[in-house]
Amino acid sequence: MIYIRQVYLDGTPVLFPICEFSPKHATPTLSWAVGGGNPDDKQIAYTLTVEIGGETVFDSGRVETSRQSALLDGFTFPAGALAEVTVIVESATEKTEPYSVTLFNGCLGTFPGEWITSREDQGERVLRFVKDFTIDKPIDSAMLYYCGLGYHHASFNGEPFDCWHLDPAHANYAKTCYYRVSHLRENLIQKGQNRLEIQVAPGWRKNGTDFMWQMLGERKIEFYGDSVLWAYLHIVYEDGTTEDIVTDDTWECALDPRTSSIFNGETFDASLNKDFDECDKIPVKTTAAPGGEMRPMVLQPIANHGYWEPKEITTPKPGVFVVDFGQNIAGVAELILPENLKAGQVITLTFTEELNEDGTVYTDILRGAKQTDTYIAAGDARDLSLWTPDFTYHGFRYCQITGLDYLMPEMIDACLIHTDLENRSSFTCGSPMVNAIQKALVMTERDNMHSILTDCPQRDERMAWMNDATVRFEETPYNFDASRIFPKILQDIKNEQRAEGQFTCCAPFIYGGLPADPVCSSYLVAAKEALMHYGELGAVDEFFDGMAAWEDYLLSRSPDGTVDYSYYGDWAAPAYACLSDEGAPSAVTPGVVMSTGYSYYNCKLLADFARRTGRSEAEAKYTEKAEYVRKAFLDKWFDPETGKVATGSMGCQAFALWLGILPAECEAKAAEVMRNDLVEKNYKFTTGNLNTRYLMDMLTKHGYIEDAWKVITSDEYPSFGYMFQNEATTIWERFEMKKNPGMNSHNHPMYGAVGYWFYAYLGGIIPTEPGFTRVSIKPYFPEKLTSCHAVVDTVMGEISVRWSKRYGKLYLFIQTPFGVTADVDFDGKVTTVGAGYHVFEKEVEA
């Protein structure tokens, strides 16, 4: 029996029952994953229909194809409409039952109402905006569109109906504003008087520290400003009439008990905790829109993903409690407050990753961020029983609490919050060390997913650095569902792109370089991974011109074919391989080598993107430019006699091999130079945030898997094991255990990019056609590893590779889903298989 498992819209899963439809491209594409079936089963035909209001508006008819997708060419989806999409799939022997999903088009053509704010600047206070209205006849449906910047929470008649955190998605609001679309349940709206309340916190509209302002200098952040709100409630009555309630200066406003800052934390003053009608009202005014294009938020929300109980509570000083949650996380603490608090009693919670030697929390690592939540008691019924901050988050393992007479373990939990990119992918193997690295890097990713993919969750930074992302973006889609966040990242970068083609090191842009470091090929890598993992050709097409403009800028900075600037290059290698103990640029791998290599890589990707999107002139242009840059690179830095690239460092060698820029006949010699440099340095690698991943890949590809295994399983400095020896539960920014306020984040995902190597080399799973319709399976088998199991949750279904050495044989077990073709490279030959369960084996030495 075959059945449809999931339907996707432009490569992203359609959430049941309503998908907030956003036409990122002129013509949407629907695709589907099919379960069940016979061995080697695949689709031979499909039928797809779309109904709106009971009327069929699109009917594909029976389409004979093995391609599990349909381009809805000519389909018009009215704003605010509900559409029922039904798909039937046929194989050679059977067909599925009809599978239906409901799509909702949340894209508005016009935006009724005004943006509103407080007439006077209220600093970091949370604002409460309220609109009362009367309903006097039965309602058929009600849809609320709203955008409170920086963050919002909404409630109807006192009942919250959005349970998300740090919503809506962070962006450069001067370029893009994401609004939430909520279908109000029937029981929320009552006949008679109703109240809509939307709380708005400053979020990223007002967020900073002295350190950050120093980094900015005279430059202003274009999307900073006052807290603002836009809302539009569209009501459809049973008699067919409609009513719109929109934000304007008739709304009321009052101050919330909370003062909130992302970096510094949140304060709740219970003496100000009142019903809205009891609050002093403050004047509302209409204001200019932030300036950005309004788009419905289709990115998964930031949600609660579990709790950590205290592992230990210590009292290093009288009245000071320090909670160790045993895990470095990003989120907030939930505290059960004692009864009979005294009026004015102040309870503070300070969060950090490390402790001082006296057992108190070490906060210097936070730089200017206070990461402190404060509760001021009212001493009466206005006090909360459970206190959880709403509009901030912290990176922490430890929480120091003052202001309480006692603290029991059951009174406090740590709550993990992050963008809900979870899927069913997994990786395990027979090595406890590698499993620990995988667990730590996945947690590090989670801690750095807050509608942007940040560098760290604790200090006054928390930005999306595009240099780190160039390798990170290859790992992320193996461990998470990045189908929605990659298109958003592409939009974030486009928002920061200037007319000359350059963009900024961070997107959204707070601080960093302009132009970005040339290693920021993450712009193109995000598009490539969206294409190969999710079949998102539309994103490649939409952002092609921007990606091409970036490479054209780099070519304009290449007077002899090699790029003439670099900031970071292969950043943050072990300290002995950097320019100084605290200076993170590489001392052994020239930055301009990295810059030029990525220029070549960009040209290769652009030529491929152009071919796939029908841009023949661009394909020819970037094919020619790639060869031009390649020749300049080789002429300047490659010695074919010795096999050395530039300085001959393992980073230079690995990077050139990964690029595929060297003559094929020279690769073995270059790989030998790479391996010898590693061995001669007693496996103390000199690679940084980019080349460490490439070193693992290229050692493995070129016959040195045992050397790669020795690097990954080491517990001596520098290594992941050394981090674990020093109590790490997430991946560090540097390999050193340092105690200073510089670059010493202990929750930093860039080195977690090694997770790609786990799936793509140990598991051997690499997509070779868009959307995983075809996959290469070529696992590698380190001598000291006896088993490995990798599962990748793809848009076609789960692809599983498991291998085990047992009973004198090596067994390889592969499960491929319906419609997927796998090229299995095992025991020196390639076997092509279709859907089903496949077993390969060969004899090995015991």
Side-chain angles (χ1 to χ4, degrees), residues 673-690:
V673 172
M674 169 185 67
R675 189 259 181 178
N676 288 346
D677 187 37
L678 177 66
V679 173
E680 289 167 6
K681 289 180 171 56
N682 198 25
Y683 294 89
K684 291 188 179 296
F685 54 87
T686 59
T687 48
N689 64 339
L690 303 171

Side-chain angles (χ1 to χ4, degrees), residues 743-762:
M743 291 175 46
N744 291 298
S745 163
H746 283 182
N747 201 339
H748 225 79
M750 62 188 187
Y751 277 111
V754 73
Y756 172 88
W757 183 76
F758 296 163
Y759 284 97
Y761 284 86
L762 294 182

Side-chain angles (χ1 to χ4, degrees), residues 136-175:
D136 57 11
K137 53 185 176 179
I139 288 178
D140 178 68
S141 65
M143 197 71 67
L144 177 65
Y145 308 78
Y146 60 109
C147 178
L149 301 177
Y151 297 135
H152 60 213
H153 269 316
S155 62
F156 210 91
N157 294 326
E159 182 178 344
F161 58 84
D162 61 0
C163 56
W164 318 125
H165 299 269
L166 310 179
D167 199 60
H170 174 32
N172 179 338
Y173 310 123
K175 303 294 177 59

Side-chain angles (χ1 to χ4, degrees), residues 282-532:
I282 56 178
V284 170
K285 67 175 182 179
T286 60
T287 188
E293 176 191 5
M294 297 287 284
R295 307 184 81 171
M297 183 172 160
V298 296
L299 178 66
Q300 299 95 322
I302 296 173
N304 181 338
H305 286 274
Y307 295 90
W308 272 257
E309 297 178 352
K311 182 178 179 181
E312 180 185 38
I313 299 177
T314 59
T315 53
K317 294 180 180 180
V320 176
F321 303 96
V322 175
V323 182
D324 177 4
F325 291 104
Q327 174 64 54
N328 204 356
I329 74 165
V332 294
E334 291 192 347
L335 179 66
I336 296 175
L337 294 169
E339 296 180 357
N340 303 318
L341 293 172
K342 298 175 182 178
Q345 185 174 343
V346 178
I347 302 166
T348 64
L349 283 68
T350 300
F351 300 86
T352 190
E353 299 178 317
E354 295 296 326
L355 297 178
N356 289 310
E357 284 66 30
D358 65 359
T360 59
V361 292
Y362 174 64
T363 58
D364 286 359
I365 198 171
L366 305 176
R367 296 197 298 223
K370 292 183 174 64
Q371 278 215 143
T372 297
D373 296 331
T374 304
Y375 183 88
I376 303 172
D380 55 30
R382 291 172 294 178
D383 280 320
L384 304 177
S385 57
L386 178 66
W387 171 42
T388 309
D390 290 306
F391 296 113
T392 190
Y393 77 101
H394 314 296
F396 65 99
R397 172 174 173 168
Y398 303 98
C399 175
Q400 181 169 291
I401 303 173
T402 62
L404 290 175
D405 295 329
Y406 63 92
L407 181 67
M408 306 298 291
E410 59 270 19
M411 292 171 62
I412 190 168
D413 288 312
C415 173
L416 171 67
I417 60 173
H418 63 81
T419 302
D420 190 7
L421 306 185
E422 297 292 333
N423 65 9
R424 292 177 53 82
S425 295
S426 64
F427 177 88
T428 56
C429 70
S431 165
M433 175 68 77
V434 172
N435 290 341
I437 298 170
Q438 170 67 9
K439 179 182 178 182
L441 73 86
V442 167
M443 193 63 180
T444 307
E445 283 278 21
R446 289 181 178 128
D447 290 345
N448 285 280
M449 293 174 168
H450 296 96
S451 72
I452 60 173
L453 299 185
T454 59
D455 60 332
C456 60
Q458 75 298 92
R459 68 190 182 211
D460 49 358
E461 196 163 342
R462 311 187 201 187
M463 300 190 300
W465 284 92
M466 291 299 138
N467 58 322
D468 299 345
T470 296
V471 287
R472 180 186 181 186
F473 285 176
E474 292 181 299
E475 168 270 321
T476 305
Y478 277 102
N479 284 307
F480 295 92
D481 174 11
S483 60
R484 296 184 180 217
I485 204 164
F486 276 153
K488 180 189 178 294
I489 289 168
L490 290 166
Q491 184 64 48
D492 286 341
I493 297 172
K494 181 181 177 182
N495 286 346
E496 306 299 349
Q497 195 161 17
R498 306 310 194 249
E500 298 82 4
Q502 73 268 44
F503 60 94
T504 55
C505 285
C506 293
F509 184 40
I510 305 292
Y511 60 79
L514 174 65
D517 189 295
V519 303
C520 296
S521 288
S522 44
Y523 196 0
L524 291 85
V525 172
K528 171 179 173 286
E529 298 305 307
L531 173 68
M532 300 308 292

Side-chain angles (χ1 to χ4, degrees), residues 39 293 396 470 477 543 666 670 672 694:
E293 176 191 5
F396 65 99
T470 296
F543 295 100
C666 298
E672 184 180 8
Y694 300 153

Side-chain angles (χ1 to χ4, degrees), residues 134-135 137-141 235-243:
T134 301
I135 298 294
K137 53 185 176 179
I139 288 178
D140 178 68
S141 65
I235 300 171
V236 179
Y237 294 103
E238 289 184 358
D239 63 7
T241 61
T242 64
E243 182 178 0

Side-chain angles (χ1 to χ4, degrees), residues 612-661:
R612 294 178 186 276
T613 57
R615 293 173 165 88
S616 56
E617 289 185 9
E619 181 185 2
K621 170 185 173 179
Y622 289 107
T623 299
E624 179 184 345
K625 291 296 185 184
E627 187 56 34
Y628 166 71
V629 177
R630 176 177 182 266
K631 184 178 185 304
F633 183 102
L634 296 177
D635 288 348
K636 191 167 188 175
W637 289 308
F638 182 58
D639 182 350
E641 294 298 319
T642 64
K644 285 187 176 182
V645 178
T647 62
S649 71
M650 63 190 79
C652 288
Q653 304 299 120
F655 184 49
L657 289 164
W658 178 82
L659 288 170
I661 202 170

Side-chain angles (χ1 to χ4, degrees), residues 50-94:
V50 181
E51 290 188 2
I52 296 178
E55 178 184 351
T56 299
V57 296
F58 181 88
D59 188 342
S60 70
R62 185 176 184 273
V63 180
E64 295 187 356
T65 178
S66 61
R67 184 178 178 85
Q68 292 173 212
S69 64
L71 187 68
L72 303 188
D73 198 13
F75 170 59
T76 300
F77 197 170
L82 288 168
E84 185 174 277
V85 179
T86 302
V87 183
I88 300 172
V89 169
E90 298 178 41
S91 71
T93 58
E94 56 184 323

